[in-house]
PDB file of all heavy atoms in Angstrom:
ATOM      1  N   CYS A   1     -45.473 -76.548 109.102  1.00 69.00           N
ATOM      2  CA  CYS A   1     -46.425 -76.256 110.170  1.00 69.00           C
ATOM      3  C   CYS A   1     -46.091 -77.118 111.381  1.00 69.00           C
ATOM      4  O   CYS A   1     -45.938 -78.344 111.271  1.00 69.00           O
ATOM      5  CB  CYS A   1     -47.849 -76.531 109.697  1.00 69.00           C
ATOM      6  SG  CYS A   1     -49.098 -76.259 110.974  1.00 69.00           S
ATOM      7  N   ARG A   2     -45.945 -76.502 112.537  1.00 66.00           N
ATOM      8  CA  ARG A   2     -45.607 -77.247 113.739  1.00 66.00           C
ATOM      9  C   ARG A   2     -46.783 -78.088 114.250  1.00 66.00           C
ATOM     10  O   ARG A   2     -46.590 -78.996 115.053  1.00 66.00           O
ATOM     11  CB  ARG A   2     -45.162 -76.282 114.841  1.00 66.00           C
ATOM     12  CG  ARG A   2     -43.767 -75.695 114.634  1.00 66.00           C
ATOM     13  CD  ARG A   2     -43.236 -75.117 115.931  1.00 66.00           C
ATOM     14  NE  ARG A   2     -41.900 -74.583 115.781  1.00 66.00           N
ATOM     15  CZ  ARG A   2     -41.603 -73.303 115.577  1.00 66.00           C
ATOM     16  NH1 ARG A   2     -42.583 -72.427 115.480  1.00 66.00           N
ATOM     17  NH2 ARG A   2     -40.360 -72.900 115.453  1.00 66.00           N
ATOM     18  N   GLN A   3     -47.974 -77.791 113.774  1.00 71.00           N
ATOM     19  CA  GLN A   3     -49.151 -78.510 114.259  1.00 71.00           C
ATOM     20  C   GLN A   3     -49.428 -79.766 113.445  1.00 71.00           C
ATOM     21  O   GLN A   3     -49.699 -80.830 114.005  1.00 71.00           O
ATOM     22  CB  GLN A   3     -50.377 -77.586 114.258  1.00 71.00           C
ATOM     23  CG  GLN A   3     -50.251 -76.431 115.241  1.00 71.00           C
ATOM     24  CD  GLN A   3     -51.504 -75.584 115.290  1.00 71.00           C
ATOM     25  OE1 GLN A   3     -52.563 -75.978 114.807  1.00 71.00           O
ATOM     26  NE2 GLN A   3     -51.390 -74.395 115.888  1.00 71.00           N
ATOM     27  N   CYS A   4     -49.324 -79.633 112.087  1.00 76.00           N
ATOM     28  CA  CYS A   4     -49.632 -80.802 111.259  1.00 76.00           C
ATOM     29  C   CYS A   4     -48.447 -81.278 110.423  1.00 76.00           C
ATOM     30  O   CYS A   4     -48.524 -82.328 109.784  1.00 76.00           O
ATOM     31  CB  CYS A   4     -50.821 -80.508 110.340  1.00 76.00           C
ATOM     32  SG  CYS A   4     -50.474 -79.278 109.052  1.00 76.00           S
ATOM     33  N   GLY A   5     -47.359 -80.498 110.389  1.00 72.00           N
ATOM     34  CA  GLY A   5     -46.153 -80.905 109.658  1.00 72.00           C
ATOM     35  C   GLY A   5     -46.215 -80.689 108.172  1.00 72.00           C
ATOM     36  O   GLY A   5     -45.345 -81.169 107.435  1.00 72.00           O
ATOM     37  N   ALA A   6     -47.215 -79.985 107.668  1.00 73.00           N
ATOM     38  CA  ALA A   6     -47.360 -79.774 106.231  1.00 73.00           C
ATOM     39  C   ALA A   6     -46.277 -78.828 105.712  1.00 73.00           C
ATOM     40  O   ALA A   6     -45.999 -77.814 106.347  1.00 73.00           O
ATOM     41  CB  ALA A   6     -48.740 -79.202 105.922  1.00 73.00           C
ATOM     42  N   PRO A   7     -45.648 -79.147 104.559  1.00 69.00           N
ATOM     43  CA  PRO A   7     -44.668 -78.219 103.963  1.00 69.00           C
ATOM     44  C   PRO A   7     -45.379 -77.107 103.196  1.00 69.00           C
ATOM     45  O   PRO A   7     -46.331 -77.352 102.461  1.00 69.00           O
ATOM     46  CB  PRO A   7     -43.867 -79.121 103.021  1.00 69.00           C
ATOM     47  CG  PRO A   7     -44.834 -80.194 102.621  1.00 69.00           C
ATOM     48  CD  PRO A   7     -45.765 -80.401 103.799  1.00 69.00           C
ATOM     49  N   ILE A   8     -44.915 -75.882 103.362  1.00 63.00           N
ATOM     50  CA  ILE A   8     -45.542 -74.729 102.728  1.00 63.00           C
ATOM     51  C   ILE A   8     -44.436 -73.852 102.150  1.00 63.00           C
ATOM     52  O   ILE A   8     -43.491 -73.520 102.850  1.00 63.00           O
ATOM     53  CB  ILE A   8     -46.362 -73.900 103.744  1.00 63.00           C
ATOM     54  CG1 ILE A   8     -47.333 -74.800 104.505  1.00 63.00           C
ATOM     55  CG2 ILE A   8     -47.112 -72.772 103.059  1.00 63.00           C
ATOM     56  CD1 ILE A   8     -47.845 -74.181 105.771  1.00 63.00           C
ATOM     57  N   GLU A   9     -44.560 -73.461 100.900  1.00 57.00           N
ATOM     58  CA  GLU A   9     -43.596 -72.557 100.286  1.00 57.00           C
ATOM     59  C   GLU A   9     -44.136 -71.147 100.347  1.00 57.00           C
ATOM     60  O   GLU A   9     -45.260 -70.883  99.928  1.00 57.00           O
ATOM     61  CB  GLU A   9     -43.315 -72.941  98.838  1.00 57.00           C
ATOM     62  CG  GLU A   9     -42.334 -74.075  98.690  1.00 57.00           C
ATOM     63  CD  GLU A   9     -41.727 -74.134  97.298  1.00 57.00           C
ATOM     64  OE1 GLU A   9     -41.995 -73.217  96.504  1.00 57.00           O
ATOM     65  OE2 GLU A   9     -40.986 -75.087  97.033  1.00 57.00           O
ATOM     66  N   LYS A  10     -43.329 -70.234 100.885  1.00 51.00           N
ATOM     67  CA  LYS A  10     -43.730 -68.840 100.964  1.00 51.00           C
ATOM     68  C   LYS A  10     -42.538 -67.957 100.606  1.00 51.00           C
ATOM     69  O   LYS A  10     -41.400 -68.287 100.921  1.00 51.00           O
ATOM     70  CB  LYS A  10     -44.238 -68.472 102.362  1.00 51.00           C
ATOM     71  CG  LYS A  10     -45.496 -69.226 102.771  1.00 51.00           C
ATOM     72  CD  LYS A  10     -46.062 -68.686 104.058  1.00 51.00           C
ATOM     73  CE  LYS A  10     -46.615 -67.288 103.881  1.00 51.00           C
ATOM     74  NZ  LYS A  10     -47.704 -67.206 102.938  1.00 51.00           N
ATOM     75  N   ARG A  11     -42.796 -66.857  99.962  1.00 43.00           N
ATOM     76  CA  ARG A  11     -41.726 -65.933  99.612  1.00 43.00           C
ATOM     77  C   ARG A  11     -41.487 -64.933 100.731  1.00 43.00           C
ATOM     78  O   ARG A  11     -40.356 -64.548 101.004  1.00 43.00           O
ATOM     79  CB  ARG A  11     -42.064 -65.195  98.313  1.00 43.00           C
ATOM     80  CG  ARG A  11     -41.013 -64.179  97.901  1.00 43.00           C
ATOM     81  CD  ARG A  11     -41.275 -63.667  96.512  1.00 43.00           C
ATOM     82  NE  ARG A  11     -41.078 -64.708  95.535  1.00 43.00           N
ATOM     83  CZ  ARG A  11     -39.891 -65.043  95.030  1.00 43.00           C
ATOM     84  NH1 ARG A  11     -38.799 -64.427  95.432  1.00 43.00           N
ATOM     85  NH2 ARG A  11     -39.772 -65.989  94.132  1.00 43.00           N
ATOM     86  N   LEU A  12     -42.525 -64.483 101.397  1.00 40.00           N
ATOM     87  CA  LEU A  12     -42.384 -63.471 102.437  1.00 40.00           C
ATOM     88  C   LEU A  12     -42.230 -64.137 103.797  1.00 40.00           C
ATOM     89  O   LEU A  12     -43.141 -64.135 104.628  1.00 40.00           O
ATOM     90  CB  LEU A  12     -43.596 -62.529 102.436  1.00 40.00           C
ATOM     91  CG  LEU A  12     -43.769 -61.715 101.156  1.00 40.00           C
ATOM     92  CD1 LEU A  12     -45.033 -60.893 101.216  1.00 40.00           C
ATOM     93  CD2 LEU A  12     -42.572 -60.811 100.940  1.00 40.00           C
ATOM     94  N   TYR A  13     -41.076 -64.753 104.001  1.00 39.00           N
ATOM     95  CA  TYR A  13     -40.739 -65.408 105.266  1.00 39.00           C
ATOM     96  C   TYR A  13     -41.798 -66.431 105.646  1.00 39.00           C
ATOM     97  O   TYR A  13     -42.216 -67.237 104.857  1.00 39.00           O
ATOM     98  CB  TYR A  13     -40.521 -64.381 106.388  1.00 39.00           C
ATOM     99  CG  TYR A  13     -39.295 -63.548 106.155  1.00 39.00           C
ATOM    100  CD1 TYR A  13     -39.383 -62.228 105.765  1.00 39.00           C
ATOM    101  CD2 TYR A  13     -38.039 -64.113 106.300  1.00 39.00           C
ATOM    102  CE1 TYR A  13     -38.261 -61.473 105.546  1.00 39.00           C
ATOM    103  CE2 TYR A  13     -36.908 -63.365 106.074  1.00 39.00           C
ATOM    104  CZ  TYR A  13     -37.011 -62.042 105.703  1.00 39.00           C
ATOM    105  OH  TYR A  13     -35.889 -61.305 105.474  1.00 39.00           O
ATOM    106  N   PHE A  14     -42.304 -66.366 106.857  1.00 39.00           N
ATOM    107  CA  PHE A  14     -43.150 -67.421 107.390  1.00 39.00           C
ATOM    108  C   PHE A  14     -44.487 -66.882 107.890  1.00 39.00           C
ATOM    109  O   PHE A  14     -45.159 -67.503 108.678  1.00 39.00           O
ATOM    110  CB  PHE A  14     -42.438 -68.111 108.549  1.00 39.00           C
ATOM    111  CG  PHE A  14     -41.821 -67.138 109.514  1.00 39.00           C
ATOM    112  CD1 PHE A  14     -42.508 -66.687 110.617  1.00 39.00           C
ATOM    113  CD2 PHE A  14     -40.545 -66.643 109.289  1.00 39.00           C
ATOM    114  CE1 PHE A  14     -41.936 -65.782 111.482  1.00 39.00           C
ATOM    115  CE2 PHE A  14     -39.970 -65.735 110.165  1.00 39.00           C
ATOM    116  CZ  PHE A  14     -40.668 -65.298 111.260  1.00 39.00           C
ATOM    117  N   THR A  15     -44.859 -65.663 107.469  1.00 45.00           N
ATOM    118  CA  THR A  15     -46.142 -65.106 107.904  1.00 45.00           C
ATOM    119  C   THR A  15     -47.284 -65.818 107.192  1.00 45.00           C
ATOM    120  O   THR A  15     -47.143 -66.291 106.069  1.00 45.00           O
ATOM    121  CB  THR A  15     -46.228 -63.609 107.598  1.00 45.00           C
ATOM    122  OG1 THR A  15     -46.038 -63.418 106.201  1.00 45.00           O
ATOM    123  CG2 THR A  15     -45.160 -62.848 108.360  1.00 45.00           C
ATOM    124  N   GLY A  16     -48.408 -65.896 107.820  1.00 51.00           N
ATOM    125  CA  GLY A  16     -49.569 -66.503 107.193  1.00 51.00           C
ATOM    126  C   GLY A  16     -50.139 -67.641 108.013  1.00 51.00           C
ATOM    127  O   GLY A  16     -49.747 -67.879 109.152  1.00 51.00           O
ATOM    128  N   VAL A  17     -51.044 -68.363 107.388  1.00 62.00           N
ATOM    129  CA  VAL A  17     -51.773 -69.446 108.067  1.00 62.00           C
ATOM    130  C   VAL A  17     -51.608 -70.704 107.240  1.00 62.00           C
ATOM    131  O   VAL A  17     -51.624 -70.686 106.013  1.00 62.00           O
ATOM    132  CB  VAL A  17     -53.265 -69.076 108.208  1.00 62.00           C
ATOM    133  CG1 VAL A  17     -54.042 -70.223 108.849  1.00 62.00           C
ATOM    134  CG2 VAL A  17     -53.423 -67.808 109.038  1.00 62.00           C
ATOM    135  N   CYS A  18     -51.457 -71.840 107.918  1.00 68.00           N
ATOM    136  CA  CYS A  18     -51.333 -73.128 107.243  1.00 68.00           C
ATOM    137  C   CYS A  18     -52.627 -73.427 106.494  1.00 68.00           C
ATOM    138  O   CYS A  18     -53.720 -73.394 107.092  1.00 68.00           O
ATOM    139  CB  CYS A  18     -51.045 -74.226 108.269  1.00 68.00           C
ATOM    140  SG  CYS A  18     -51.035 -75.897 107.562  1.00 68.00           S
ATOM    141  N   PRO A  19     -52.574 -73.724 105.191  1.00 69.00           N
ATOM    142  CA  PRO A  19     -53.805 -73.974 104.430  1.00 69.00           C
ATOM    143  C   PRO A  19     -54.451 -75.322 104.749  1.00 69.00           C
ATOM    144  O   PRO A  19     -55.559 -75.588 104.295  1.00 69.00           O
ATOM    145  CB  PRO A  19     -53.331 -73.918 102.975  1.00 69.00           C
ATOM    146  CG  PRO A  19     -51.893 -74.307 103.037  1.00 69.00           C
ATOM    147  CD  PRO A  19     -51.382 -73.786 104.346  1.00 69.00           C
ATOM    148  N   TYR A  20     -53.758 -76.161 105.525  1.00 75.00           N
ATOM    149  CA  TYR A  20     -54.279 -77.492 105.822  1.00 75.00           C
ATOM    150  C   TYR A  20     -54.998 -77.536 107.168  1.00 75.00           C
ATOM    151  O   TYR A  20     -56.162 -77.954 107.254  1.00 75.00           O
ATOM    152  CB  TYR A  20     -53.138 -78.518 105.793  1.00 75.00           C
ATOM    153  CG  TYR A  20     -52.439 -78.568 104.458  1.00 75.00           C
ATOM    154  CD1 TYR A  20     -51.261 -77.860 104.241  1.00 75.00           C
ATOM    155  CD2 TYR A  20     -52.966 -79.311 103.401  1.00 75.00           C
ATOM    156  CE1 TYR A  20     -50.611 -77.884 103.006  1.00 75.00           C
ATOM    157  CE2 TYR A  20     -52.331 -79.344 102.165  1.00 75.00           C
ATOM    158  CZ  TYR A  20     -51.156 -78.635 101.974  1.00 75.00           C
ATOM    159  OH  TYR A  20     -50.528 -78.659 100.759  1.00 75.00           O
ATOM    160  N   CYS A  21     -54.310 -77.109 108.226  1.00 75.00           N
ATOM    161  CA  CYS A  21     -54.930 -77.160 109.548  1.00 75.00           C
ATOM    162  C   CYS A  21     -55.304 -75.784 110.067  1.00 75.00           C
ATOM    163  O   CYS A  21     -55.807 -75.662 111.189  1.00 75.00           O
ATOM    164  CB  CYS A  21     -54.011 -77.866 110.540  1.00 75.00           C
ATOM    165  SG  CYS A  21     -52.517 -76.910 110.950  1.00 75.00           S
ATOM    166  N   ARG A  22     -55.062 -74.758 109.297  1.00 67.00           N
ATOM    167  CA  ARG A  22     -55.358 -73.363 109.628  1.00 67.00           C
ATOM    168  C   ARG A  22     -54.544 -72.862 110.816  1.00 67.00           C
ATOM    169  O   ARG A  22     -54.857 -71.837 111.412  1.00 67.00           O
ATOM    170  CB  ARG A  22     -56.865 -73.161 109.927  1.00 67.00           C
ATOM    171  CG  ARG A  22     -57.790 -73.718 108.857  1.00 67.00           C
ATOM    172  CD  ARG A  22     -57.436 -73.204 107.482  1.00 67.00           C
ATOM    173  NE  ARG A  22     -57.568 -71.748 107.390  1.00 67.00           N
ATOM    174  CZ  ARG A  22     -57.208 -71.035 106.321  1.00 67.00           C
ATOM    175  NH1 ARG A  22     -56.664 -71.644 105.272  1.00 67.00           N
ATOM    176  NH2 ARG A  22     -57.351 -69.724 106.320  1.00 67.00           N
ATOM    177  N   GLY A  23     -53.475 -73.568 111.176  1.00 65.00           N
ATOM    178  CA  GLY A  23     -52.610 -73.118 112.255  1.00 65.00           C
ATOM    179  C   GLY A  23     -51.631 -72.075 111.738  1.00 65.00           C
ATOM    180  O   GLY A  23     -51.378 -71.957 110.530  1.00 65.00           O
ATOM    181  N   SER A  24     -51.060 -71.298 112.653  1.00 58.00           N
ATOM    182  CA  SER A  24     -50.129 -70.237 112.259  1.00 58.00           C
ATOM    183  C   SER A  24     -48.754 -70.416 112.889  1.00 58.00           C
ATOM    184  O   SER A  24     -47.911 -69.531 112.776  1.00 58.00           O
ATOM    185  CB  SER A  24     -50.702 -68.864 112.664  1.00 58.00           C
ATOM    186  OG  SER A  24     -50.879 -68.806 114.066  1.00 58.00           O
ATOM    187  N   ASP A  25     -48.530 -71.529 113.546  1.00 59.00           N
ATOM    188  CA  ASP A  25     -47.241 -71.778 114.190  1.00 59.00           C
ATOM    189  C   ASP A  25     -46.347 -72.498 113.185  1.00 59.00           C
ATOM    190  O   ASP A  25     -46.367 -73.725 113.075  1.00 59.00           O
ATOM    191  CB  ASP A  25     -47.440 -72.614 115.454  1.00 59.00           C
ATOM    192  CG  ASP A  25     -46.166 -72.696 116.298  1.00 59.00           C
ATOM    193  OD1 ASP A  25     -45.204 -71.965 115.977  1.00 59.00           O
ATOM    194  OD2 ASP A  25     -46.131 -73.491 117.243  1.00 59.00           O
ATOM    195  N   LEU A  26     -45.570 -71.725 112.415  1.00 58.00           N
ATOM    196  CA  LEU A  26     -44.782 -72.300 111.327  1.00 58.00           C
ATOM    197  C   LEU A  26     -43.293 -72.244 111.656  1.00 58.00           C
ATOM    198  O   LEU A  26     -42.823 -71.343 112.332  1.00 58.00           O
ATOM    199  CB  LEU A  26     -45.041 -71.535 110.020  1.00 58.00           C
ATOM    200  CG  LEU A  26     -46.501 -71.393 109.586  1.00 58.00           C
ATOM    201  CD1 LEU A  26     -46.563 -70.630 108.272  1.00 58.00           C
ATOM    202  CD2 LEU A  26     -47.162 -72.748 109.451  1.00 58.00           C
ATOM    203  N   PHE A  27     -42.559 -73.223 111.143  1.00 59.00           N
ATOM    204  CA  PHE A  27     -41.100 -73.258 111.256  1.00 59.00           C
ATOM    205  C   PHE A  27     -40.534 -72.997 109.872  1.00 59.00           C
ATOM    206  O   PHE A  27     -40.852 -73.717 108.926  1.00 59.00           O
ATOM    207  CB  PHE A  27     -40.647 -74.621 111.771  1.00 59.00           C
ATOM    208  CG  PHE A  27     -39.152 -74.792 111.804  1.00 59.00           C
ATOM    209  CD1 PHE A  27     -38.401 -74.257 112.841  1.00 59.00           C
ATOM    210  CD2 PHE A  27     -38.494 -75.466 110.787  1.00 59.00           C
ATOM    211  CE1 PHE A  27     -37.028 -74.412 112.873  1.00 59.00           C
ATOM    212  CE2 PHE A  27     -37.113 -75.613 110.820  1.00 59.00           C
ATOM    213  CZ  PHE A  27     -36.387 -75.089 111.862  1.00 59.00           C
ATOM    214  N   ALA A  28     -39.728 -71.953 109.725  1.00 54.00           N
ATOM    215  CA  ALA A  28     -39.301 -71.511 108.397  1.00 54.00           C
ATOM    216  C   ALA A  28     -37.834 -71.818 108.136  1.00 54.00           C
ATOM    217  O   ALA A  28     -36.999 -71.752 109.029  1.00 54.00           O
ATOM    218  CB  ALA A  28     -39.542 -70.021 108.235  1.00 54.00           C
ATOM    219  N   LYS A  29     -37.534 -72.136 106.908  1.00 55.00           N
ATOM    220  CA  LYS A  29     -36.165 -72.335 106.443  1.00 55.00           C
ATOM    221  C   LYS A  29     -35.965 -71.452 105.213  1.00 55.00           C
ATOM    222  O   LYS A  29     -36.606 -71.664 104.193  1.00 55.00           O
ATOM    223  CB  LYS A  29     -35.913 -73.794 106.063  1.00 55.00           C
ATOM    224  CG  LYS A  29     -36.215 -74.796 107.166  1.00 55.00           C
ATOM    225  CD  LYS A  29     -36.110 -76.213 106.634  1.00 55.00           C
ATOM    226  CE  LYS A  29     -36.500 -77.231 107.700  1.00 55.00           C
ATOM    227  NZ  LYS A  29     -36.463 -78.606 107.157  1.00 55.00           N
ATOM    228  N   VAL A  30     -35.108 -70.472 105.321  1.00 51.00           N
ATOM    229  CA  VAL A  30     -34.844 -69.571 104.199  1.00 51.00           C
ATOM    230  C   VAL A  30     -33.717 -70.157 103.367  1.00 51.00           C
ATOM    231  O   VAL A  30     -32.615 -70.355 103.867  1.00 51.00           O
ATOM    232  CB  VAL A  30     -34.471 -68.164 104.694  1.00 51.00           C
ATOM    233  CG1 VAL A  30     -34.237 -67.229 103.516  1.00 51.00           C
ATOM    234  CG2 VAL A  30     -35.594 -67.614 105.572  1.00 51.00           C
ATOM    235  N   ILE A  31     -33.973 -70.433 102.116  1.00 49.00           N
ATOM    236  CA  ILE A  31     -32.994 -71.068 101.242  1.00 49.00           C
ATOM    237  C   ILE A  31     -32.398 -70.018 100.312  1.00 49.00           C
ATOM    238  O   ILE A  31     -33.125 -69.286  99.644  1.00 49.00           O
ATOM    239  CB  ILE A  31     -33.641 -72.185 100.403  1.00 49.00           C
ATOM    240  CG1 ILE A  31     -34.414 -73.149 101.316  1.00 49.00           C
ATOM    241  CG2 ILE A  31     -32.591 -72.925  99.598  1.00 49.00           C
ATOM    242  CD1 ILE A  31     -33.549 -73.835 102.340  1.00 49.00           C
ATOM    243  N   SER A  32     -31.077 -69.940 100.269  1.00 48.00           N
ATOM    244  CA  SER A  32     -30.396 -69.015  99.357  1.00 48.00           C
ATOM    245  C   SER A  32     -29.148 -69.682  98.838  1.00 48.00           C
ATOM    246  O   SER A  32     -28.132 -69.743  99.512  1.00 48.00           O
ATOM    247  CB  SER A  32     -30.040 -67.708 100.071  1.00 48.00           C
ATOM    248  OG  SER A  32     -29.316 -66.876  99.203  1.00 48.00           O
ATOM    249  N   GLY A  33     -29.248 -70.221  97.634  1.00 47.00           N
ATOM    250  CA  GLY A  33     -28.080 -70.904  97.064  1.00 47.00           C
ATOM    251  C   GLY A  33     -27.728 -72.129  97.879  1.00 47.00           C
ATOM    252  O   GLY A  33     -28.563 -72.970  98.199  1.00 47.00           O
ATOM    253  N   ASN A  34     -26.460 -72.228  98.254  1.00 45.00           N
ATOM    254  CA  ASN A  34     -25.998 -73.353  99.050  1.00 45.00           C
ATOM    255  C   ASN A  34     -26.062 -73.063 100.536  1.00 45.00           C
ATOM    256  O   ASN A  34     -25.565 -73.847 101.337  1.00 45.00           O
ATOM    257  CB  ASN A  34     -24.551 -73.703  98.663  1.00 45.00           C
ATOM    258  CG  ASN A  34     -24.458 -74.174  97.230  1.00 45.00           C
ATOM    259  OD1 ASN A  34     -25.353 -74.848  96.742  1.00 45.00           O
ATOM    260  ND2 ASN A  34     -23.378 -73.807  96.546  1.00 45.00           N
ATOM    261  N   ARG A  35     -26.674 -71.924 100.916  1.00 47.00           N
ATOM    262  CA  ARG A  35     -26.722 -71.554 102.321  1.00 47.00           C
ATOM    263  C   ARG A  35     -28.129 -71.710 102.865  1.00 47.00           C
ATOM    264  O   ARG A  35     -29.118 -71.607 102.153  1.00 47.00           O
ATOM    265  CB  ARG A  35     -26.230 -70.113 102.503  1.00 47.00           C
ATOM    266  CG  ARG A  35     -24.751 -69.992 102.244  1.00 47.00           C
ATOM    267  CD  ARG A  35     -24.123 -69.076 103.255  1.00 47.00           C
ATOM    268  NE  ARG A  35     -24.619 -67.723 103.136  1.00 47.00           N
ATOM    269  CZ  ARG A  35     -24.215 -66.883 102.200  1.00 47.00           C
ATOM    270  NH1 ARG A  35     -23.345 -67.257 101.312  1.00 47.00           N
ATOM    271  NH2 ARG A  35     -24.691 -65.659 102.151  1.00 47.00           N
ATOM    272  N   PHE A  36     -28.204 -71.932 104.143  1.00 46.00           N
ATOM    273  CA  PHE A  36     -29.467 -72.229 104.789  1.00 46.00           C
ATOM    274  C   PHE A  36     -29.608 -71.354 106.021  1.00 46.00           C
ATOM    275  O   PHE A  36     -28.724 -71.313 106.863  1.00 46.00           O
ATOM    276  CB  PHE A  36     -29.483 -73.709 105.166  1.00 46.00           C
ATOM    277  CG  PHE A  36     -30.534 -74.074 106.172  1.00 46.00           C
ATOM    278  CD1 PHE A  36     -31.856 -74.145 105.800  1.00 46.00           C
ATOM    279  CD2 PHE A  36     -30.195 -74.346 107.483  1.00 46.00           C
ATOM    280  CE1 PHE A  36     -32.816 -74.490 106.727  1.00 46.00           C
ATOM    281  CE2 PHE A  36     -31.147 -74.686 108.408  1.00 46.00           C
ATOM    282  CZ  PHE A  36     -32.461 -74.762 108.025  1.00 46.00           C
ATOM    283  N   TYR A  37     -30.715 -70.623 106.103  1.00 47.00           N
ATOM    284  CA  TYR A  37     -30.987 -69.780 107.261  1.00 47.00           C
ATOM    285  C   TYR A  37     -32.164 -70.365 108.018  1.00 47.00           C
ATOM    286  O   TYR A  37     -33.254 -70.500 107.473  1.00 47.00           O
ATOM    287  CB  TYR A  37     -31.311 -68.343 106.830  1.00 47.00           C
ATOM    288  CG  TYR A  37     -30.212 -67.688 106.051  1.00 47.00           C
ATOM    289  CD1 TYR A  37     -30.258 -67.633 104.675  1.00 47.00           C
ATOM    290  CD2 TYR A  37     -29.108 -67.141 106.695  1.00 47.00           C
ATOM    291  CE1 TYR A  37     -29.245 -67.040 103.947  1.00 47.00           C
ATOM    292  CE2 TYR A  37     -28.092 -66.544 105.972  1.00 47.00           C
ATOM    293  CZ  TYR A  37     -28.176 -66.499 104.603  1.00 47.00           C
ATOM    294  OH  TYR A  37     -27.173 -65.915 103.883  1.00 47.00           O
ATOM    295  N   SER A  38     -31.924 -70.724 109.262  1.00 46.00           N
ATOM    296  CA  SER A  38     -32.970 -71.318 110.079  1.00 46.00           C
ATOM    297  C   SER A  38     -33.708 -70.229 110.852  1.00 46.00           C
ATOM    298  O   SER A  38     -33.086 -69.358 111.445  1.00 46.00           O
ATOM    299  CB  SER A  38     -32.367 -72.328 111.061  1.00 46.00           C
ATOM    300  OG  SER A  38     -33.342 -72.770 111.970  1.00 46.00           O
ATOM    301  N   ILE A  39     -35.021 -70.293 110.837  1.00 43.00           N
ATOM    302  CA  ILE A  39     -35.839 -69.358 111.591  1.00 43.00           C
ATOM    303  C   ILE A  39     -36.655 -70.176 112.586  1.00 43.00           C
ATOM    304  O   ILE A  39     -37.539 -70.933 112.197  1.00 43.00           O
ATOM    305  CB  ILE A  39     -36.785 -68.550 110.687  1.00 43.00           C
ATOM    306  CG1 ILE A  39     -35.993 -67.836 109.600  1.00 43.00           C
ATOM    307  CG2 ILE A  39     -37.606 -67.561 111.492  1.00 43.00           C
ATOM    308  CD1 ILE A  39     -36.844 -67.083 108.628  1.00 43.00           C
ATOM    309  N   SER A  40     -36.344 -70.061 113.845  1.00 42.00           N
ATOM    310  CA  SER A  40     -37.054 -70.832 114.863  1.00 42.00           C
ATOM    311  C   SER A  40     -36.972 -70.091 116.180  1.00 42.00           C
ATOM    312  O   SER A  40     -36.309 -69.071 116.306  1.00 42.00           O
ATOM    313  CB  SER A  40     -36.445 -72.231 114.996  1.00 42.00           C
ATOM    314  OG  SER A  40     -35.156 -72.146 115.565  1.00 42.00           O
ATOM    315  N   GLY A  41     -37.640 -70.649 117.180  1.00 36.00           N
ATOM    316  CA  GLY A  41     -37.609 -70.032 118.496  1.00 36.00           C
ATOM    317  C   GLY A  41     -36.501 -70.549 119.369  1.00 36.00           C
ATOM    318  O   GLY A  41     -36.370 -70.139 120.511  1.00 36.00           O
TER     319      GLY A  41
END
């Protein structure tokens, strides 16, 4: 979460709301094996 920095595990990318601060501005990292896909603006 870009607002409070809480780590959140999600399967469907980065949609949803932070369960801690209720913010929706999330920074996602898609993990697949030894490869890393960054999702950001």
